[in-house]
Amino acid sequence: MMFKAISKEQIENHNKRNINNLKKDYEFFLKKTKNLGININNIKKELKNFSVALPSWGLGTGGTRFGKFPIAGEPNNIFEKIEDCAVINDLIGITNSVSLHFPWDNVGDFKELKEFTSSYGLKFDAVNSNTFEDFKDYKHSFKFGSLTHTDKSIRDKAIELNVDCIKKGEKIGSKALTVWIPDGTNYPGQQDFSKSLDRYINSMKKIYSKLPSSWRIFIEHKPFEPALYSTVINDWGSSYYCAKLLGKKAFCLIDLGHHLPNTNIEMIVSRLADMKKLGGFHFNDSKYGDDDLDSGSINPFALFLIFNELTNAKKNKKLNSVSYMIDQSHNITDPIESLIMSAIEIQRAFAKSLLINYKILEKFQKKNDAIFSLNHLKNAFNIDVTPLLQMIRYESGNVINPLEFYRNFNYRKKKSKIRKKKFDISSTIL
Ligand code: PSV
Ligand code: MN
């Protein structure tokens, strides 16, 4: 922990003002969990090892096709985004890595970026490729697809961009590439489903062959958008099939928003864990589709059920190493506040899953006792773990009440004086 973004003294002053209240809340929490026979020390150890990566593309204000409403002091480049990530991590201590997206995050000197980032105690998680937009210097267009395009030269360009991501990722110490493609169709009959998938697999094989030995490749599925009739990697089944074909360095990545409403995502988590192909997550929340809303803001119980599967799979030694990453768009909030709250919601869901006693749950399951099984999960979900998370932050030298601290810190106001405003209000509908 570097505490370069926020001084240790400011953090200590905040914590001094809040520790007495926290001690009372924590004592109550300890009594309650002790009565339930829960060993909090083991849970604390697990929680202290937990971290979730921040998305570089989530640090600036997002927008919809109707418009964008930038805020003063927001970052204009990856270095300024890293500064913002450092603020978040100094406050909450569970976000010590950043996921980059190329070519958005291109820089001239990757060594400089790596050093700058590690000077804040941060590192890089998976790098992401963008083959869903055309950039000025491109001689081709991804309008009709990328890795699955009917034109080989366009497929080759998409492959080249992914390989380029790996090379850049190597320079900054990343160990994984996430591939999400926008490829699909808007009209029945527009493409041959089977041939498109063949082209995808062939393109992915070429990318896979360039992966360094310690690297993994994550396949991210999505049923719709920007293609609105069909997508090539539409669901976890297609993702699993491709990951299996590619080999042992290929895994599936679950973006929570990439499912049709009411999909049982926790069950997908369980299946992929069983099949040893669960590689990572893009956390967010949604009400209607790929809404990119803040994690846990709409359905925290669903998030808890996902962590229930992860914790259970880990207990049964079925879980690979999993990369936890956030993928959200913050359209009306300060992205730093949204990311602070989201990371804590994810940590909260994990903490609550650690309160489940799987031996007791199994007893109810064996008796087919539906109500007591559900009640056991609900009991864990209903315990307020806020004092536990606050105590972990306090003990790790982070901040007891991060949102309150951040508001009083006036970060945006300070930054607005230094950061040149690039007033980009572009929308795509007009
Ligand atoms: C696509 O909707 C996605 O979830 C992919 O992960 C992209 O890389 C990311 O959002 C940013 O557009
Ligand atoms: Mn995603």
Side-chain angles (χ1 to χ4, degrees):
M1 181 59 61
M2 294 289 163
F3 298 104
K4 194 173 155 188
I6 299 176
S7 81
K8 234 176 153 101
E9 199 193 340
Q10 279 170 302
I11 293 181
E12 278 166 8
N13 286 342
H14 166 95
N15 284 349
K16 260 184 217 151
R17 285 196 302 276
N18 291 284
I19 188 61
N20 285 339
N21 276 345
L22 172 57
K23 276 185 180 159
K24 281 182 222 148
D25 293 347
Y26 190 62
E27 218 168 280
F28 177 77
F29 171 80
L30 283 183
K31 259 190 215 150
K32 193 173 164 70
T33 45
K34 198 175 167 201
N35 289 342
L36 295 169
I38 295 168
N39 181 339
I40 283 301
N41 287 335
N42 291 346
I43 291 176
K44 265 178 145 179
K45 256 185 236 153
E46 294 258 13
L47 284 169
K48 283 188 176 168
N49 289 328
F50 178 80
S51 72
V52 56
L54 299 169
S56 65
W57 61 99
L59 272 309
T61 39
T64 66
R65 64 202 175 94
F66 295 95
K68 188 174 164 177
F69 303 95
I71 55 172
E74 67 174 87
N76 293 311
N77 56 53
I78 186 60
F79 289 92
E80 292 179 353
K81 287 177 181 181
I82 296 290
E83 281 177 357
D84 291 3
C85 291
V87 169
I88 298 171
N89 194 47
D90 278 1
L91 293 177
I92 62 177
I94 52 168
T95 50
N96 68 350
S97 61
V98 186
S99 192
L100 295 191
H101 217 304
F102 296 118
W104 290 335
D105 295 322
N106 269 344
V107 291
D109 186 346
F110 281 97
K111 195 168 163 262
E112 185 193 4
L113 178 63
K114 191 181 177 192
E115 280 168 12
F116 181 81
T117 304
S118 54
S119 77
Y120 283 106
L122 302 174
K123 56 188 181 180
F124 293 101
D125 206 315
V127 288
N128 301 258
S129 56
N130 178 342
T131 61
F132 43 87
E133 276 181 302
D134 290 346
F135 287 83
K136 267 207 302 292
D137 55 327
Y138 290 5
K139 289 184 195 71
H140 59 274
S141 171
F142 291 135
K143 180 174 174 182
F144 293 111
S146 59
L147 293 177
T148 78
H149 203 286
T150 47
D151 181 336
K152 182 176 181 298
S153 66
I154 296 175
R155 293 201 298 278
D156 287 346
K157 177 68 187 178
I159 294 167
E160 182 194 311
L161 285 173
N162 276 282
V163 174
D164 188 55
C165 271
I166 298 174
K167 287 185 186 145
K168 286 168 181 160
E170 275 191 286
K171 290 186 190 158
I172 54 171
S174 179
K175 289 269 176 264
L177 168 70
T178 301
V179 183
W180 172 73
I181 53 160
D183 302 35
T185 63
N186 279 34
Y187 297 91
Q190 184 186 331
Q191 280 301 333
D192 181 313
F193 293 150
S194 171
K195 284 181 184 154
S196 297
L197 186 61
D198 284 346
R199 289 194 289 269
Y200 175 80
I201 290 164
N202 286 332
S203 297
M204 284 294 274
K205 277 184 180 163
K206 290 185 184 150
I207 300 167
Y208 187 90
S209 72
K210 302 285 182 209
L211 278 180
S213 58
S214 58
W215 272 55
R216 297 188 295 163
I217 190 165
F218 299 145
I219 300 174
E220 183 178 354
H221 59 273
K222 179 170 173 174
F224 72 101
E225 199 204 21
L228 298 174
Y229 167 63
S230 71
T231 60
V232 181
I233 303 300
N234 58 311
D235 63 6
W236 72 275
S238 306
S239 173
Y240 173 76
Y241 171 69
C242 296
K244 184 90 180 143
L245 267 181
L246 285 172
K248 60 178 193 322
K249 288 189 272 183
F251 293 87
C252 305
L253 181 140
I254 298 178
D255 181 315
L256 271 55
H258 291 190
H259 300 87
L260 300 175
N262 305 326
T263 302
N264 188 338
I265 302 176
E266 58 271 24
M267 192 157 175
I268 298 174
V269 173
S270 168
R271 290 286 186 267
L272 288 176
D274 277 356
M275 295 168 181
K276 297 272 182 280
K277 281 293 185 190
L278 181 61
F281 281 89
H282 273 178
F283 287 114
N284 48 52
D285 208 342
S286 66
K287 178 82 179 156
Y288 303 106
D290 191 20
D291 306 329
D292 273 318
L293 297 176
D294 293 7
S295 300
S297 63
I298 305 290
N299 198 345
F301 189 57
L303 190 59
F304 162 78
L305 292 177
I306 287 172
F307 275 99
N308 166 37
E309 294 304 330
L310 290 165
T311 298
N312 195 18
K314 191 168 175 210
K315 280 213 157 56
N316 295 326
K317 304 208 173 350
K318 286 187 170 176
L319 202 62
N320 302 308
S321 123
V322 178
S323 278
Y324 297 116
M325 296 170 275
I326 296 175
D327 180 2
Q328 297 176 175
S329 178
H330 311 110
N331 303 341
I332 59 156
T333 55
D334 177 336
I336 292 184
E337 293 190 358
S338 268
L339 286 165
I340 288 173
M341 199 181 216
S342 300
I344 293 174
E345 284 309 298
I346 296 164
Q347 183 196 30
R348 185 190 307 282
F350 178 42
K352 289 183 178 201
S353 76
L354 297 171
L355 303 175
I356 299 166
N357 184 325
Y358 288 95
K359 281 198 185 116
I360 296 179
L361 182 60
E362 201 181 355
K363 272 190 201 154
F364 295 137
Q365 290 171 343
K366 277 190 176 147
K367 289 188 206 152
N368 293 306
D369 193 335
I371 285 295
F372 269 67
S373 299
L374 171 64
N375 194 46
H376 190 71
L377 291 186
K378 287 267 185 179
N379 281 344
F381 178 71
N382 287 331
I383 294 176
D384 182 7
V385 294
T386 306
L388 173 64
L389 306 187
Q390 287 179 315
M391 190 50 90
I392 289 174
R393 284 199 290 278
Y394 174 72
E395 287 172 1
S396 312
N398 306 109
V399 166
I400 294 175
N401 295 316
L403 281 176
E404 182 198 300
F405 181 105
Y406 178 74
R407 279 281 165 102
N408 296 331
F409 191 46
N410 281 323
Y411 182 69
R412 292 290 178 203
K413 203 169 169 198
K414 284 180 213 153
K415 285 293 169 193
S416 67
K417 296 191 180 122
I418 309 162
R419 292 176 178 173
K420 298 271 163 292
K421 202 167 183 181
K422 205 174 62 184
F423 210 74
D424 168 21
I425 52 164
S426 61
S427 66
T428 54
I429 200 172
L430 300 171

